[in-house]
Amino acid sequence: MTAPPGDDRTTELIRWAAFSCALVPVVLLWYGSSLAGATGTALGLAAVTAVCRLLLRRSERGAARTPSEHPQDRAHHQEHHPAPAPPPGHRARGGTGAHRGTRHTGGSTPVG
């Protein structure tokens, strides 16, 4: 099985993160931090590294899947899963932009 192009960079990044998880507590102990504090820091860094690794791998898989998606697949999905209708009693909002229906005083110069 061939590795994705970004796999080498990801693996290297994870290795540096793991190295940092080991190095930071050693430095903390060297500069007089408590063993409990250094251990807590190491566990926190390891947890953050694990979550980042998981998210990075997931995004790589998603990026690898995206180019293979064809426009026909999206059209097929929209045919079988139309957008939900608004609940009864709600009116559709007209206009465009983020400030529809608001008053505008003066020009577009900053206040101050």
Side-chain angles (χ1 to χ4, degrees), residues 19-106:
F19 174 71
S20 297
C21 288
L23 182 64
V24 168
V26 170
V27 171
L28 288 173
L29 288 173
W30 180 268
Y31 281 100
S33 180
S34 68
L35 181 61
T39 303
T41 301
L43 291 174
L45 286 172
V48 168
T49 301
V51 169
C52 289
R53 178 178 183 243
L54 175 77
L55 293 172
L56 192 58
R57 297 288 185 192
R58 182 179 290 176
S59 70
E60 283 181 342
R61 280 183 294 208
R65 235 181 284 143
T66 302
S68 65
E69 185 178 291
H70 298 292
Q72 300 93 345
D73 295 339
R74 276 183 261 153
H76 177 73
H77 177 76
Q78 289 172 351
E79 286 174 9
H80 294 287
H81 302 284
H90 285 81
R91 293 183 291 162
R93 299 177 97 168
T96 59
H99 300 286
R100 53 182 178 254
T102 61
R103 291 186 184 188
H104 297 284
T105 58

